[in-house]
Amino acid sequence: MRAKRTLFEKIWDAHLVAQPRGRSPIIYIDLHLVHEVTSPQAFDGLRVAGRKVRQPSRTVATVDHNIPTEPRGTPITDLIAAKQIAALQANCKEFDVRLFDMDSPEQGIVHVIGPELGLTQPGMTIVCGDSHTSTHGAFGALAFGIGTSEVEHVLATQCLAQQTPKTMKIDVRGRLADGVSAKDLALGIIGQIGADGATGHVIEYAGEAVRGLSMEGRMTLCNMSIEAGARAGMVAPDETTFAYVEGKRFAPRDGDWEKAVEYWRSLRTDEGAAFDKLVEIDAAQLCPFVTWGTNPGMVAPVTGRVPEVSSLKDADRRATELALRYMGIEPGRRIEDICVDRVFIGSCTNSRLEDLRAAARVAKGHHVSAKVRAMVVPGSQTVKRAAEQEGLHQIFLDAGFEWRESGCSMCLGMNPDILQPGERCASTSNRNFEGRQGRGGRTHLVSPMMAAAAAITGHFTDIRNWRFQ
Amino acid sequence: MKPFGVHRGRVVPLDRVNVDTDQIIPKQFLKRVERTGFGQFLFYDWRFDAEGKKNADFVLDEPRYEGASILVAGKNFGCGSSREHAVWALADFGFRAVISSSFADIFANNSTKNGFLTVRLSDSEVAELMHRARDVNDYQLTIDLEHCEVRDDQGFAAKFPIDEFVRHCLFNGLDDIGLTLQHEVDIAAYEALHLTPSALHARRP
Ligand code: SF4
């Protein structure tokens, strides 16, 4: 073991079960989150091999990707989706796995409910058959997405054989200005290092700006790590973390709590520990961002323009041309001149209470443009209830936003919430890939405040000049 | 898992970078609960128009590339969603390997679990193969996992890096879960020291 270790190395070392010679290390998985889309084939594999779920109590499932955001109880008209949900229900029953089902008061997007229930805790290893599992790294956990074969592997063994990833530190100097959110920080980072800038690495986010983020903000930031190609993203736990976790349903209690916190305080990178890669970000240079292309690295300041293709090198030029053609935008266009048809506020990136508060603050006293259809989809039933208690739903409804039930919704449009071909959407989600929100749909990624402002004005607007009412 | 030894096959060039798994297999096809039958939906939105008619100029469907089993593509192939369906679709369509200058981690991981090879070559080597696949009729490559080498009949040969254990598993078609379960004693010992928190044991809802 090295004398000076990074946060990642401390968690990795603490979970090593075996290091077979000439093979990948085997690490223990503390928490396995499961959803309906990437699990059916894994449970099937268990059945075929006659295996059981090794640790049902460390396995927690929910339905989020497929479910409609219409009022609960509305029958699911998509029969294949219904079958997939039924398969998860049957699998959880057969293998004795805890399921937060459709009608559960705690149902929600898997990466929203894990933290909310206190399942997600510092120092844990957490996996899920979902790339945005990186979200949970906000707590100082090592959390990463896996494929279905690995889901089966974890179900059967509670372990994973993993090559040791490399480490990257992203040091964010200075503080974020008003109107510049965690989402903008994430987009700014990806814009700087590229959509594959962190491939093979686990990122640790550090620096004053990161310390200053709430847990929601840290989750947004870690969530987007995968969009830079990172294996995982993490933030060392601190008082902000402990305050968030304390009292949550599955959090340690009583004497266990003090012991846990004492251990969690040791989860920080030692002074002088080495990273494989270092990136510095100057928070003062950041502003509200808008993506203009078909991957999250294609991003520009709201005050800027879409690139001129002629200014680019060959390799980038072709990708940019393809992206702009798909997006239906001419090179050099001012970002603020881009009009939208739809607005989506939701997804595991930006559907937590703080995100909805930020969007509501913008929406208050205004009205959605007549040309825009805007919807707000809380990340979970718990978020939805809390927002309603504060009256946020009323602000949205008064302003002409739709207020819907929780789920992934138009982040990937596996349920009926999709863009029509050619429609342009300001979205608080995490991926602007071709067709992600519906075939032919055009996605621009932004923060919740920026999305709400776009809904009202009908085009992108610098939130720093907003007239809050 | 099907072992991967030496494979020779026709090459199709997909000259795009950052090909994400949403393109490889769009979400509307993720609702199946089986591992099979995804090949018909591979690159669906690029191969078919909105009415489901074949888009004649998508490279995969050019007659000269019919039956190709090796895909050459730009960097950061397989980025985005963790969906293993992407690998299932490529394999089901008839591919045995993708060659690129870089792969997204989860995609690369998923590939190895399915006897599917991700071959990493340098940017210039990938560009060269892209050209050859375009210029040479019925361009074929041999991927030799024993020697970690890619070669053709026109003098191209390049070594590719691969983790030795991953190579061993692919080469022998080994089942990962079985290998981990050989460490049952270690897992049980770990679990004895790290008990499941009591909160998780409480009665399930
Ligand atoms: S909200 Fe979007 S990114 Fe997040 S888990 Fe759901 S589909 Fe995936």
Side-chain angles (χ1 to χ4, degrees), chain A residues 341-357:
Chain A
D341 311 298
R342 304 279 298 264
V343 168
F344 171 64
I345 298 176
S347 91
C348 59
T349 312
N350 281 130
S351 65
R352 298 179 181 80
L353 190 57
E354 181 180 286
D355 302 313
L356 303 191
R357 281 183 186 146

Side-chain angles (χ1 to χ4, degrees), chain A residues 30-52:
Chain A
D30 293 321
L31 177 66
H32 185 190
L33 302 169
V34 172
H35 66 72
E36 75 274 24
V37 177
T38 53
S39 66
Q41 295 88 350
F43 283 110
D44 267 353
L46 289 188
R47 263 188 295 269
V48 169
R51 289 172 175 143
K52 291 199 298 212

Side-chain angles (χ1 to χ4, degrees), chain B residues 20-197:
Chain B
D20 60 76
T21 54
D22 274 72
Q23 307 315 314
I24 300 174
I25 180 90
K27 47 152 172 273
Q28 62 268 36
F29 307 114
L30 303 185
K31 291 174 189 159
R32 301 167 63 90
V33 293
E34 304 85 20
R35 269 176 194 256
T36 50
F38 289 100
Q40 52 187 315
F41 309 124
L42 180 69
F43 293 119
Y44 190 88
D45 288 356
W46 287 347
R47 281 175 61 215
F48 299 93
D49 68 14
E51 276 75 55
K53 273 215 337 267
K54 249 197 188 156
N55 161 12
D57 33 276
F58 186 58
V59 64
L60 234 60
D61 289 316
E62 287 180 37
R64 56 180 295 215
Y65 295 119
E66 202 188 319
S69 59
I70 298 170
L71 184 71
V72 181
K75 68 164 186 162
N76 199 26
F77 187 87
C79 58
S81 157
S82 65
R83 56 187 74 167
E84 196 161 317
H85 313 65
V87 180
W88 299 336
L90 285 161
D92 193 46
F93 191 82
F95 286 109
R96 293 292 323 266
V98 182
I99 300 175
S100 175
S101 56
S102 65
F103 294 92
D105 294 324
I106 304 179
F107 178 84
N109 248 342
N110 289 342
S111 297
T112 64
K113 314 290 183 223
N114 290 277
F116 189 87
L117 199 59
T118 51
V119 177
R120 199 147 49 82
L121 297 181
S122 71
D123 281 323
S124 59
E125 286 161 346
V126 171
E128 179 59 33
L129 292 182
M130 205 79 86
H131 279 131
R132 291 188 184 205
R134 251 191 317 246
D135 299 344
V136 180
N137 213 17
D138 188 24
Y139 182 64
Q140 305 243 346
L141 273 173
T142 299
I143 301 178
D144 178 345
L145 188 57
E146 194 179 353
H147 300 102
C148 301
E149 190 183 76
V150 178
R151 51 179 181 267
D152 67 9
D153 298 336
Q154 288 95 30
F156 179 94
K159 292 268 185 200
F160 60 88
I162 184 167
D163 177 79
E164 182 45 36
F165 175 57
V166 169
R167 194 188 76 87
H168 174 76
C169 289
L170 280 166
F171 197 73
N172 297 294
L174 295 181
D175 167 17
D176 242 23
I177 298 180
L179 285 173
T180 298
L181 286 176
Q182 290 173 357
H183 291 272
E184 173 58 38
V185 176
D186 299 318
I187 304 174
Y190 185 94
E191 283 176 336
L193 284 175
H194 302 84
L195 298 180
T196 307

